[in-house]
C-alpha cells in the first residue's frame, strides 16, 4: 500500500511533500517577517547610535571649550598632544560606558516580555519574546564605548591643536 502511494507521489510532479517538524515549518513560514523585523531593528539602532555619537561629540566639545586653561597648563607643563588626545578619548569612552551600563539596566525589565506581529505571507501571528542575554549586554556596552570613542575623537583632536599661548591667555 505504502509503495503504491510512494510511487504515485514520486511520479506526480505537482506534489511536493517534504516531512518536517512543526517548529521547522513555522520557522520557514515566518522567515520573511523575521528578516523585516531584524532589518528594521538594525536601522533604528543605526540611527540612534549616530544620534548618540553626536551627543557625545557635543558634550566633549563643551568640555574642551570649558577647560581650555587646563589644556594650556598641561601643554605648558610638557604634556604632548597625543597625551591630551588620549585623555579626552578616555573621558569620552568612560562617559559612553556609563551611558551603556545605564541603558543595559533600563533594558533589563523588558527581558521575557512577549509580543507578536502579523505574518503577511501566511496571515498568521508571529509571536516572539525579548531575550536579553549576557552576551547582548556586553555587546551593547562595547558598542557604546566604540561610539563614545568615535564621538570624542574630533573634540580630542581639537583640544590637542589649541595653541599654548592662546590657552594660557584665557587665565
Amino acid at each position: 500500500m505504502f509503495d503504491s502511494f510512494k510511487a504515485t507521489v514520486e511520479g506526480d510532479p505537482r506534489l511536493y511533500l517534504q516531512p518536517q517538524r512543526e517548529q521547522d515549518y513555522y520557522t520557514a513560514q515566518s522567515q520573511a517577517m523575521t528578516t523585516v523585523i531584524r532589518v528594521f531593528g538594525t536601522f533604528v539602532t543605526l540611527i540612534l547610535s549616530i544620534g548618540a555619537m553626536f551627543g557625545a561629540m557635543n558634550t566633549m566639545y563643551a568640555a574642551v571649550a570649558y577647560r581650555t586653561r587646563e589644556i594650556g597648563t598641561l601643554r605648558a607643563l610638557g604634556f604632548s598632544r597625543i597625551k591630551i588626545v588620549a585623555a579626552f578619548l578616555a573621558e569620552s569612552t568612560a562617559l559612553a560606558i556609563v551611558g551603556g551600563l545605564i541603558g543595559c539596566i533600563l533594558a533589563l525589565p523588558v527581558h521575557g516580555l512577549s509580543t507578536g506581529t502579523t505574518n503577511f505571507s501566511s496571515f498568521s501571528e508571529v509571536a516572539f519574546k525579548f531575550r536579553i542575554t549576557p552576551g547582548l549586554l556586553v555587546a551593547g556596552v562595547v558598542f557604546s564605548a566604540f561610539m563614545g570613542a568615535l564621538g570624542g575623537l574630533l573634540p580630542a583632536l581639537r583640544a590637542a591643536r589649541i595653541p599654548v599661548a592662546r590657552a594660557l591667555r584665557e587665565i
Side-chain angles (χ1 to χ4, degrees), residues 11-99:
D12 191 353
R14 296 174 296 167
L15 296 176
Y16 176 71
L17 299 175
Q18 178 184 5
Q20 58 182 325
R21 296 180 337 177
E22 182 179 13
Q23 183 177 2
D24 295 338
Y25 172 76
Y26 285 118
T27 300
Q29 288 291 314
S30 64
Q31 189 66 36
M33 184 54 80
T34 302
T35 303
V36 168
I37 290 172
R38 284 183 194 229
V39 166
F40 182 70
T42 302
F43 178 72
V44 169
T45 301
L46 180 68
I47 296 298
L48 290 175
S49 63
I50 290 171
M53 186 177 67
F54 280 116
M57 194 178 300
N58 188 28
T59 301
M60 293 310 296
Y61 271 127
V64 168
Y66 182 71
R67 293 189 276 174
T68 305
R69 281 183 272 157
E70 288 86 355
I71 295 168
T73 305
L74 289 173
R75 294 280 290 138
L77 290 174
F79 282 82
S80 67
R81 291 176 189 246
I82 297 205
K83 289 190 181 194
I84 301 289
V85 169
F88 276 96
L89 279 179
E91 180 180 349
S92 175
T93 305
L95 287 172
I97 288 173
V98 169

Side-chain angles (χ1 to χ4, degrees), residues 95-116:
L95 287 172
I97 288 173
V98 169
L101 290 173
I102 291 171
C104 287
I105 291 169
L106 292 175
L108 285 177
V110 177
H111 178 70
L113 290 180
S114 61
T115 188

